[in-house]
Amino acid sequence: MIKVVSAVKDVRAVVNEWKSQGLSVGLVPTMGYLHEGHQSLIKRAVAENDRVVVSVFVNPIQFAPNEDLATYPRDLEADKKLCDATGANLIFHPEPAEMYPDGFSTHINMDGLTKELCGKTRPTHFGGVCTVVGKLFNIVKPDKAYFGQKDAQQLAIIKRMVQDLNFDIEIVGCPIIREADGLAKSSRNTYLNTEERKAALILSKAVKLGEDMVKNGETDSKAVIKAMSDLICSEPLAKIDYVDVVNALTIEPVDVISGEILVAIAVYIGKTRLIDNFMISC
Ligand code: PAF
């Protein structure tokens, strides 16, 4: 069974040994409760690196006090099986005190890209993400690190951080993995009851509608946002957090759809907040 280490010094010892043999290292940062979306990242990392580390850490500092840190799903045994079956070599599973010991005082904060989309309702979230990912990069020192495009804003932010802070790491974005009926895979889907699970399909339907409109030549962001919002509002259990059209690299809102575009949504289904998106180059 795959080895699990919880101390920074232990993951460093393993990775240093690999590096001394000239082996390349891929990192897949996760919060655990792994599903096929994570598995696709691990598969890609296994295909592109000699050794793969999966971090499993529910990062407390990316949750606001009113969010789901306490209830976030956890199942390390299942995670170990999935990592093992997928060919990963090491799980890094630290306790919060290992990552944030007493006296911890240094945070990575980013302007610009963190302010729109999820940053509006989760203003402290991306600072927590950047800080933990920066720490993971320094601990594991991977050659490549893998992130899902479902969290498109997070992916853009990590790419920016790597560029701004000169991390010598290639960031690999991987496609959204969906259930057979279209719902984007997410650890938070487990919060949905049967009725909410059906209602949650409105997200992927709205994404499909928006994507079809843009592919058919619509260039007015407002028209796309309105059509997608109207569709989401037709589902009684859905409440929109945002439907936005932004530049995929800068996450700045755009009026005219042209260039690298991200159309992103966040929708509450009951109490569960889900996200989805599509990216298009036009
Ligand atoms: O996407 C996630 O699961 C988390 O935000 C990450 C990148 C593992 C940081 O905690």
Side-chain angles (χ1 to χ4, degrees):
M1 183 61 92
I2 189 166
K3 188 173 176 186
V4 181
V5 296
S6 55
V8 169
K9 68 173 175 33
D10 293 338
V11 72
R12 280 198 166 138
V14 175
V15 171
N16 285 342
E17 175 58 30
W18 290 339
K19 296 233 161 162
S20 73
Q21 296 168 31
L23 301 173
S24 63
V25 178
L27 170 67
V28 183
T30 82
M31 298 209 298
Y33 211 70
L34 305 178
H35 50 66
E36 289 90 336
H38 300 109
Q39 193 169 30
S40 72
L41 306 183
I42 300 171
K43 270 188 194 153
R44 176 100 178 250
V46 167
E48 295 183 354
N49 299 273
D50 298 316
R51 295 289 182 271
V52 171
V53 179
V54 178
S55 61
V56 173
F57 179 59
V58 182
N59 174 34
I61 68 165
Q62 69 187 72
F63 291 79
N66 61 331
E67 293 181 345
D68 57 342
L69 172 62
T71 55
Y72 195 85
R74 292 157 165 92
D75 188 346
L76 185 62
E77 285 313 306
D79 292 346
K80 279 159 70 176
K81 284 191 189 124
L82 183 143
C83 286
D84 222 14
T86 314
N89 304 95
L90 183 71
I91 292 180
F92 177 44
H93 179 54
E95 290 297 323
E98 179 72 2
M99 296 296 272
Y100 306 114
D102 281 350
F104 185 88
S105 314
T106 307
H107 296 262
I108 301 177
N109 286 309
M110 186 182 292
D111 305 324
L113 284 80
T114 60
K115 306 299 176 216
E116 296 293 329
L117 306 181
C118 292
K120 283 188 180 159
T121 40
R122 307 187 76 191
T124 58
H125 173 66
F126 289 116
V129 170
C130 287
T131 301
V132 79
V133 170
K135 282 174 68 70
L136 290 168
F137 285 175
N138 282 329
I139 293 165
V140 178
K141 295 203 178 70
D143 299 284
K144 296 184 182 186
Y146 295 78
F147 294 86
Q149 277 165 6
K150 185 171 84 69
D151 296 295
Q153 185 176 17
Q154 170 173 280
L155 177 59
I157 286 169
I158 301 294
K159 284 183 174 165
R160 185 78 245 174
M161 178 181 84
V162 162
Q163 196 178 331
D164 288 351
L165 299 185
N166 305 97
F167 284 102
D168 191 12
I169 296 171
E170 184 185 332
I171 301 304
V172 183
C174 302
I176 298 176
I177 303 295
R178 298 181 180 279
E179 304 283 355
D181 61 5
L183 180 66
K185 301 251 183 197
S186 164
S187 303
R188 289 190 169 99
N189 290 349
T190 185
Y191 297 150
L192 303 169
N193 65 28
T194 313
E195 205 188 343
E196 290 169 342
R197 173 66 183 76
K198 277 191 206 141
L201 283 183
I202 204 68
L203 279 95
S204 52
K205 285 183 184 159
V207 163
K208 168 105 182 45
L209 173 68
E211 196 168 5
D212 286 347
M213 285 176 77
V214 177
K215 281 184 177 158
N216 288 328
E218 181 59 74
T219 56
D220 180 4
S221 296
K222 283 202 184 78
V224 174
I225 292 170
K226 179 165 184 341
M228 291 172 70
S229 302
D230 287 350
L231 180 61
I232 296 167
C233 289
S234 72
E235 167 51 61
L237 292 182
K239 191 171 146 269
I240 293 175
D241 179 4
Y242 64 76
V243 177
D244 274 330
V245 180
V246 298
N247 177 292
L249 303 176
T250 64
I251 314 292
E252 281 165 351
V254 296
D255 292 333
V256 178
I257 297 177
S258 147
E260 300 299 313
I261 293 293
L262 166 66
V263 180
I265 64 177
V267 177
Y268 289 93
I269 302 291
K271 287 196 176 127
T272 306
R273 184 176 173 282
L274 299 175
I275 57 174
D276 203 341
N277 69 74
F278 67 93
M279 284 201 234
I280 195 155
S281 180
C282 46

